[in-house]
């Protein structure tokens, strides 16, 4: 699993977070694909229980993307 290193001066924190979220997504979506390069992430496996912080990060990012992409309501 990709780790996030805030001290990495070669890769921005935004790209590290995006890569980690994408890696998690691929492991979940392609869990039935036998050709995957990485081990699938199963919902009740031991690793899934350690993803609490990742879920908080994904929620934080999703909320901020929704806020940034939102437009004021037009009530005309």
């Amino acid at each position: 699993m990709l780790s996030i290193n805030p001290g990495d001066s070669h890769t921005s924190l935004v790209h590290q977070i995006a890569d980690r979220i994408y890696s998690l997504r691929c492991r979940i979506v392609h869990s039935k694909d036998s050709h995957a390069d990485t081990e699938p992430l199963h919902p009740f496996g031991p690793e899934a229980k350690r993803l609490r912080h990742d879920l908080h990060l994904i929620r934080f990012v999703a909320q901020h993307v929704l806020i940034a992409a939102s437009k004021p309501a037009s009530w005309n």
Side-chain angles (χ1 to χ4, degrees), residues 3-62:
S3 61
I4 297 172
N5 180 4
D8 183 355
S9 61
H10 295 92
T11 308
S12 74
L13 191 57
V14 170
H15 283 106
Q16 291 182 58
I17 291 170
D19 288 344
R20 183 166 177 90
I21 290 172
Y22 184 73
S23 173
L24 284 168
R25 175 239 175 245
C26 288
R27 290 184 64 199
I28 293 167
V29 171
H30 300 296
S31 65
K32 294 181 182 178
D33 185 8
S34 62
H35 304 293
D37 294 336
T38 60
E39 183 68 25
L41 183 61
H42 299 289
F44 299 107
E47 189 179 14
K49 294 176 183 175
R50 296 188 300 263
L51 295 178
R52 182 171 44 98
H53 297 295
D54 290 293
L55 295 176
H56 288 297
L57 176 62
I58 292 168
R59 181 178 184 156
F60 175 84
V61 170

Side-chain angles (χ1 to χ4, degrees), residues 56-74:
H56 288 297
L57 176 62
I58 292 168
R59 181 178 184 156
F60 175 84
V61 170
Q63 287 173 335
H64 282 77
V65 166
L66 288 171
I67 291 167
S70 66
K71 297 178 185 176
S74 175

